[in-house]
Amino acid sequence: MSNLTAIHPRHALFGAEKPVPMLPVCDHYAGVEERMHKSLKLQADMAADAGRPVFDVTLDLEDGAPVGGEHEHALLVAELVGSTANAHDRVGVRVHDYRHKRFEDDIDTLISRVGERLAYVMVPKLANVDDARGAIEAIRQARVRHNIGRALPVHGLIETHRAVQQVAEIAALPGLESLSFGLMDFVSEHRGAVPASAMSVQGQFSHPLIVRAKLEISAACHAARITPSHCVVTEFKDTRALSQAAEKATRELGYTRMWSIHPDQVPVIIEAFAPVTAEVDDAIEILLAAQAAHWAPTAHRKVLHDRASYRHYWHVLERAWLTGQPLPAEIEQAFFS
């Protein structure tokens, strides 16, 4: 194969666009010490089976810290992030919100101790674009103050009407890597006008105001080329309902990542977000033919393909790799080594 035909899809199909982060499709939250240890072990075990980490772990300072013991909890989380239990450096931390009195101590504690190993910082309750901008800048200043050379991605949580109204502006801020939807806080902000059933696994996909908010967030993220992350399903023992919700989130609403709040949810979410085998097979055949044709238009099963459809199938192949699906050795070596 010539140098021309061997051009990698990332170089052949994308120009000056901002690169989209390749984040694992599942983001698992843990805030209690015992569960944090178990989550890190599960991450390492599943990574060993797949040959790469297939989900992120977010250690929680907001909901996990005991009242009055927030600083000690931050020190514990920093110790875990810096330990050998963080085998692949795919561990992030959710801090307190930007307006909370513990926010500055959270980020200073984490960045001063393990800033080089943090995968990202999740900031909840981004009430508006000013809060989002302020949080990103505070994290940047802490990184500079502690001589952390790498950029530290920021993830944000959209939970209010104002934040949904401004989500396009928020998503476009430099430094953001992902936005998530805070379902329960968003429902609560309606002061009883939206029923509690809108927080359920069925209601959150049928209530118009909730679906509209999810679509606004997903669309804003795609426009800004960052990752939209879907909210939790609290019925954690109903794996069938979770699977259906995850499929709706990715196939109907355009989310490429989803929260988990129980270890049993992790494999269900990964499976739901993975492309089906037929999609992966098509992607491999189409991309190899395109590469051999110098990325000029080709036909596959009597259907014409060009760079637009090649981009789609490249993302299908990326998703297969992210979810740990087995790929032919030559594809792994050529595209993902």
Side-chain angles (χ1 to χ4, degrees):
M1 184 177 289
S2 71
N3 289 336
L4 180 60
T5 57
I7 295 174
H8 194 282
R10 290 195 193 101
H11 302 302
L13 302 178
F14 303 95
E17 302 102 323
K18 173 185 172 183
V20 178
M22 281 184 61
L23 298 180
V25 301
C26 181
D27 182 10
H28 178 65
Y29 275 70
V32 178
E33 182 175 4
E34 180 183 1
R35 293 174 185 169
M36 291 191 288
H37 283 284
K38 288 181 178 179
S39 299
L40 294 173
K41 184 177 185 307
L42 178 63
Q43 185 190 52
D45 289 346
M46 291 183 69
D49 291 339
R52 52 193 171 272
V54 291
F55 74 96
D56 284 344
V57 173
T58 299
L59 305 180
D60 197 350
L61 299 187
E62 186 190 31
D63 290 341
V67 176
E70 291 89 353
H71 182 69
E72 291 74 17
H73 192 68
L75 291 173
L76 168 64
V77 165
E79 182 180 349
L80 286 173
V81 172
S83 73
T84 57
N86 179 10
H88 300 279
D89 288 337
R90 288 308 312 170
V91 177
V93 177
R94 176 163 72 167
V95 298
H96 288 83
D97 68 85
Y98 176 62
R99 300 290 178 181
H100 196 283
K101 63 182 180 180
R102 303 303 311 179
F103 174 79
E104 290 188 2
D105 183 69
D106 284 352
I107 61 171
D108 196 70
T109 300
L110 291 168
I111 293 173
S112 64
R113 287 165 171 77
V114 290
E116 293 287 359
R117 297 198 62 191
L118 277 173
Y120 49 86
V121 175
M122 158 58 77
V123 183
K125 297 179 175 64
L126 296 179
N128 50 54
V129 69
D130 290 334
D131 275 10
R133 187 181 291 112
I136 293 169
E137 177 60 17
I139 291 167
R140 188 196 68 81
Q141 289 180 7
R143 179 174 62 80
V144 172
R145 187 166 61 249
H146 295 292
N147 298 312
I148 304 301
R150 59 181 284 264
L152 186 52
V154 178
H155 295 191
L157 189 56
I158 302 296
E159 304 177 76
T160 67
H161 287 296
R162 180 60 60 85
V164 171
Q165 289 172 346
Q166 299 182 0
V167 69
E169 294 177 76
I170 294 171
L173 291 172
L176 267 183
E177 185 178 57
S178 176
L179 285 177
S180 303
F181 177 49
L183 170 66
M184 288 174 280
D185 281 282
F186 187 74
V187 170
S188 297
E189 199 183 33
H190 286 80
R191 298 170 295 164
V194 172
S197 60
M199 294 184 281
S200 70
V201 67
Q202 291 87 15
Q204 66 173 281
F205 290 98
S206 60
H207 195 285
L209 286 173
I210 306 304
V211 174
R212 170 181 158 277
K214 289 185 182 185
L215 289 172
E216 293 280 355
I217 293 167
S218 176
C221 287
H222 286 294
R225 299 181 70 79
I226 67 174
T227 299
S229 185
H230 193 268
C231 60
V232 299
V233 168
T234 55
E235 297 91 332
F236 61 87
K237 292 191 175 182
D238 191 341
T239 55
R240 182 179 178 186
L242 171 63
S243 178
Q244 292 173 343
E247 287 187 9
K248 283 179 177 290
T250 186
R251 297 189 180 274
E252 297 179 15
L253 304 183
Y255 283 81
T256 56
R257 184 168 162 99
M258 184 169 177
W259 287 32
S260 159
I261 54 171
H262 190 278
D264 291 346
Q265 292 186 323
V266 172
V268 179
I269 291 170
I270 293 172
E271 182 178 3
F273 273 66
V276 299
T277 302
E279 288 179 300
V280 178
D281 291 343
D282 283 347
I284 291 171
E285 292 176 8
I286 290 167
L287 290 172
L288 289 179
Q291 192 179 54
H294 303 256
W295 301 100
T298 61
H300 180 260
R301 299 179 184 171
K302 300 181 180 180
V303 175
L304 182 67
H305 292 280
D306 60 16
R307 287 172 181 258
S309 55
Y310 295 157
R311 292 187 188 101
H312 167 80
Y313 286 105
W314 170 244
H315 292 309
V316 169
L317 203 57
E318 277 189 326
R319 183 80 65 86
W321 188 82
L322 284 170
T323 51
Q325 291 184 275
L327 297 173
E330 62 271 22
I331 296 296
E332 287 264 6
Q333 184 176 3
F335 292 157
F336 298 105
S337 60

